[in-house]
Amino acid sequence: MPTTTTPATEHQARWEEIVHDPSLRDLSYKVETNATGQIVLSPHTAEHADLQEHIQDLLRAHAPEGRQPPEYPITTSEGVKQADVVWMSSERRADMKKTGDPPTLAPELCVEVLSPNNRWVNIEEKIGLYREAGADEVWVVDTDRQVRFFGEEEMEASTLAPDFPTAV
């Protein structure tokens, strides 16, 4: 099972502190950490949240045998990242639970929804981190709602959900 290069327990312990910090509980931002445990906040729009839900609905239709929760935390070598939407089989979820919370093993699929303030270099880093943590695929939905599929390299379509649309 993939694990982080920095002791995963350090990232997981820091995440536990953040989760239980009463001053952070009601933030309307996506919270992640960087490699040194610092909090990174990303504000979301209502449109972003609507798009996440739409992707979940499409995943239910095109890959119904898995779960597709939003804002899923994953411990990576560069801190805890939260994929906008993930897809995981029940078998993968069982394996993920064995690695701690947040897991160091990524779901089979991680989806990132870009905002206008995202820089591609940051998204490329996340693709690499999710893949390093064991994701089979990472999808990126750009600001024009076009879907790009990544495995070992960029693909024309997903292997996990071959009929998933290229625009959402």
Side-chain angles (χ1 to χ4, degrees):
M1 276 182 235
T3 59
T4 60
T5 54
T6 301
T9 54
E10 289 179 31
H11 289 310
Q12 290 169 325
R14 177 65 177 129
W15 192 253
E16 188 71 17
E17 289 175 20
I18 292 167
V19 167
H20 289 94
D21 185 330
S23 66
L24 300 174
R25 284 194 188 134
D26 296 326
L27 291 177
S28 59
Y29 303 109
K30 176 178 176 177
V31 177
E32 298 180 328
T33 62
N34 63 18
T36 61
Q38 293 174 311
I39 296 172
V40 178
L41 299 176
S42 300
H44 283 194
T45 63
E47 183 177 341
H48 188 277
D50 290 342
L51 187 51
Q52 285 176 275
E53 182 181 30
H54 183 57
I55 292 165
Q56 288 175 281
D57 290 343
L58 288 168
L59 281 168
R60 285 184 194 99
H62 293 278
E65 61 283 353
R67 296 177 55 211
Q68 45 304 108
E71 302 294 337
Y72 203 88
I74 302 159
T75 303
T76 74
S77 60
E78 295 295 319
V80 176
K81 308 301 178 196
Q82 287 197 62
D84 288 312
V85 178
V86 300
W87 180 92
M88 68 185 102
S89 64
S90 56
E91 296 84 11
R92 177 60 69 95
R93 181 64 187 122
D95 289 340
M96 290 167 60
K97 284 183 177 184
K98 296 173 190 172
T99 70
D101 189 5
T104 59
L105 176 62
E108 289 100 330
L109 169 63
C110 297
V111 182
E112 283 294 321
V113 177
L114 298 186
S115 301
N117 60 343
N118 287 124
R119 295 180 51 212
W120 185 249
V121 67
N122 300 109
I123 296 305
E124 285 179 319
E125 179 183 24
K126 279 191 168 182
I127 291 169
L129 290 171
Y130 294 149
R131 296 273 302 137
E132 177 185 65
D136 298 326
E137 294 184 16
V138 179
W139 300 354
V140 178
V141 181
D142 68 22
T143 54
D144 293 325
R145 295 181 166 229
Q146 298 298 306
V147 183
R148 294 176 67 182
F149 307 96
F150 296 89
E152 293 290 326
E153 55 189 43
E154 190 164 1
M155 308 176 295
E156 291 294 318
S158 168
T159 57
L160 295 170
D163 296 327
F164 196 90
T166 58
V168 292

